[in-house]
Amino acid sequence: MKILSFSALSLLLTLPAGTPATAAGADDPATTAAVGAPATAVDPATTAALVARYNFDGGATEGRVADLSGRGAPLTVRNAANGQITFTTEGTGRYAAFPAACAAPTTCGKALLEAPDDADLDPGTRNFTWAASVRLTAAQLSGNANIMQKGVAGIGSQWKMQVTGKSGRAQCVVAARGSAQTFAAISARPVADGAWHRVVCQRTGTTLGISVDGVAGSKTTLPTTATIDNTMPMRVGGPNLAGDGDMYHGQLDDLYAQLG
């Protein structure tokens, strides 16, 4: 698969898609240009930098998924009770499928992907964007479904993307360092409908916003001092492997993080 220039990739990664970006030839900007950019599209400013990207086309080699940004670390597969992440071909690409929900969450197979602590993923008070293509149904929700996160609310600080168990809507969450308060933006519509949706979380200055398939959701105001900086790894598919853990049970494709 060809690697795009940063300016082209910045535009591409914010485009909405009904199928995962890597499963429908969307790595070619000509394929996606007609779709249109979302209301909260990232401005590829000179200070912005793609700091992590994973499209799963190469699957996992020795339990590790390669980073395509040239700046991030590989994702390592972690599991419990023989939980497995599978990489399934669709169109011209592949996506990651996480273990199914079951009736005994403390003993069911669980799995997630983990990248080590990285200063590039600790934005402090700088602009920061994180995004993923998601597909799941309401039946695959068992509590909140954590798509990707770094940090824990109430312990250090956090940025997170999840699908809420009650409404099935996508949600972007920020917890500031040294504060018990969390801030959230939520999508305009549910995403747990069995279709692919492109979810983009974006902190710009003191604003936290979300878009799904280019449609803006709610926005919330952050304090100017709201700092995200912790020593936790970035985790994809769940916060940890303990208990039910708000695990994600659907499919994911083309995750990225952009700093600045």
Side-chain angles (χ1 to χ4, degrees), residues 54-75:
Y54 311 92
N55 69 3
F56 308 118
D57 284 357
T61 301
E62 297 181 349
R64 289 155 66 94
V65 176
D67 163 71
L68 301 178
S69 74
R71 187 158 164 169
L75 291 171

Side-chain angles (χ1 to χ4, degrees), residues 1 3 9 16 35 42 47 58 61-62 67 84 94 105 107 115 120 133 182 185 228 243 247 254:
M1 186 188 75
I3 301 299
L9 185 58
V35 179
V42 176
T47 56
T61 301
E62 297 181 349
D67 163 71
Q84 300 295 320
R94 299 167 81 183
T107 58
D120 280 341
S133 291
T182 60
I228 309 170
M247 304 303 291
D254 208 24

Side-chain angles (χ1 to χ4, degrees), residues 78-176:
R78 293 187 55 211
N79 57 18
N82 297 313
Q84 300 295 320
I85 296 173
T86 59
F87 300 92
T88 304
T89 299
E90 184 171 313
T92 60
R94 299 167 81 183
Y95 61 81
F98 289 76
C102 70
T106 58
T107 58
C108 291
K110 295 183 280 291
L112 55 79
L113 298 164
E114 182 177 283
D117 178 36
D118 185 338
D120 280 341
L121 300 175
D122 294 323
T125 59
R126 291 171 291 178
N127 294 346
F128 192 66
T129 303
W130 59 106
S133 291
V134 308
R135 182 168 68 181
L136 77 165
T137 65
Q140 291 175 307
L141 289 170
S142 58
N144 293 331
N146 285 23
I147 298 166
M148 58 191 298
Q149 73 179 68
K150 187 176 188 298
V152 178
I155 305 175
S157 57
Q158 177 190 67
W159 57 261
K160 177 168 70 170
M161 178 193 295
Q162 65 181 8
V163 177
T164 63
K166 290 184 178 180
S167 67
R169 298 188 184 205
Q171 190 176 49
C172 304
V173 180
V174 163

Side-chain angles (χ1 to χ4, degrees), residues 171-253:
Q171 190 176 49
C172 304
V173 180
V174 163
R177 187 175 64 189
S179 171
Q181 188 174 9
T182 60
F183 305 87
I186 193 164
S187 64
R189 298 189 296 264
V191 298
D193 57 7
W196 282 105
H197 296 286
R198 187 67 172 158
V199 182
V200 179
C201 298
Q202 187 173 39
R203 178 198 181 152
T204 306
T206 59
T207 300
L208 174 65
I210 184 171
S211 70
V212 174
D213 302 331
V215 178
S218 70
K219 293 183 179 180
T220 190
T221 301
L222 307 174
T224 57
T225 57
T227 299
I228 309 170
D229 187 359
N230 59 70
T231 59
M232 297 289 290
M234 178 178 74
R235 289 176 176 153
V236 174
N240 55 60
L241 297 172
D244 58 1
D246 287 338
M247 304 303 291
Y248 182 80
H249 301 294
Q251 294 88 47
L252 293 178
D253 199 7

